[in-house]
Amino acid sequence: MSTHQQAHPLSLNRLLASLPSEEFKALQPHLEQVSLSHGQSIILPDEPIPFTYFPLNALLSLVTVMEDGSTVEAGAIGREGMAGLPILLDATTTPMQTLTQIAGQAVRVKAEIIKQAFDKGGALRHILQRYIHTTIVTGSQTAACNRLHQIEARLCRWLLMSSDGVGSEELRLTQDFLATMLGVRRAGVSEAASQLQNQGLIRYQRGRIQILNRKSLETASCECYEVVRAEYQRLFG
């Protein structure tokens, strides 16, 4: 599959970069680059979804919100993906929330535009169908991970996925936000992060985490990180 010129700034998103030149050019007039701030909600539970988002260097999080207001991460979306998949599946709303974990840039497209392009078929439909499959794999793997694996290994997985999603070894995150994403108390995050820092895997300061030894962090992570990464690589290369 021939793709559009990789030097284009929007090609930081791997789905957009996979599009053939003709399809990318047809979609390009509808692509709006926007800045997303930390904690910003882009899809609200049970509200109409007006836009889809293709992150460039921002990291988004799919969050399940319970009746008592507690939340837990159900998935993350970085430069490898897209937020707003319910639109493609003829669902105008979702009970899940999507918010910005790490501030940055994203490409915004009106929901009706991306749905029309998807329904036409072609490479865009093929690419997004494969991406939908990877989100199902990620969701099931995350459910198993949250149930079976220790917080330290889960934190390693989440840091690695976040790093992949934004294309950086430095992540701007707070303990409160990490606790929300992992569905644990802040004290649990603090203890797990301290252990990783003592092992020389990360440097953790106020609101900032730097990965120092990625290979060892992958070793310390549970198998869930590699399962999801391998499936994405199998489908997208």
Side-chain angles (χ1 to χ4, degrees), residues 62-227:
L62 295 167
V63 175
T64 298
V65 184
M66 308 305 289
E67 286 185 356
D68 63 0
S70 59
T71 59
V72 67
E73 174 222 9
I77 305 167
R79 59 182 180 165
E80 79 293 333
M82 163 195 159
L85 288 180
I87 292 297
L88 307 180
L89 304 175
D90 294 320
T92 57
T93 66
T94 174
M96 299 183 68
Q97 180 184 21
T98 302
L99 50 81
T100 307
Q101 278 184 12
I102 297 178
Q105 300 293 305
V107 173
R108 187 170 72 175
V109 189
K110 288 183 178 180
E112 61 267 26
I113 296 296
I114 203 71
K115 183 62 165 66
Q116 290 169 7
F118 180 79
D119 288 344
K120 285 182 181 178
L124 178 66
R125 182 177 186 128
H126 182 62
I127 290 165
L128 293 181
Q129 283 177 330
R130 285 184 292 169
Y131 178 64
I132 290 170
H133 167 74
T134 66
T135 63
I136 294 171
V137 171
T138 301
S140 5
Q141 201 71 37
T142 297
C145 187
N146 289 343
R147 173 66 178 84
L148 299 173
H149 295 148
Q150 297 296 318
I151 182 174
E152 184 176 325
R154 290 166 52 205
L155 178 58
C156 291
R157 173 189 71 89
W158 194 86
L159 292 176
L160 290 165
M161 291 178 64
S162 300
S163 173
D164 292 344
V166 299
S168 174
E169 301 286 81
E170 187 172 301
L171 308 169
R172 292 185 175 273
L173 301 164
T174 65
Q175 283 189 356
D176 286 337
F177 211 73
L178 284 168
T180 297
M181 293 304 100
L182 294 171
V184 298
R185 299 179 66 179
R186 179 176 173 176
V189 171
S190 180
E191 182 179 350
S194 295
Q195 290 177 5
L196 296 179
Q197 182 164 255
N198 292 337
Q199 296 168 31
L201 306 187
I202 66 171
R203 180 181 292 118
Y204 186 59
Q205 297 174 327
R206 187 182 297 266
R208 178 179 297 177
I209 296 177
Q210 183 178 1
I211 296 175
L212 301 177
N213 190 331
R214 187 179 185 89
K215 185 175 180 180
S216 294
L217 197 66
E218 291 180 4
T219 300
S221 174
C222 54
E223 73 266 24
C224 300
Y225 171 68
E226 183 55 35
V227 168

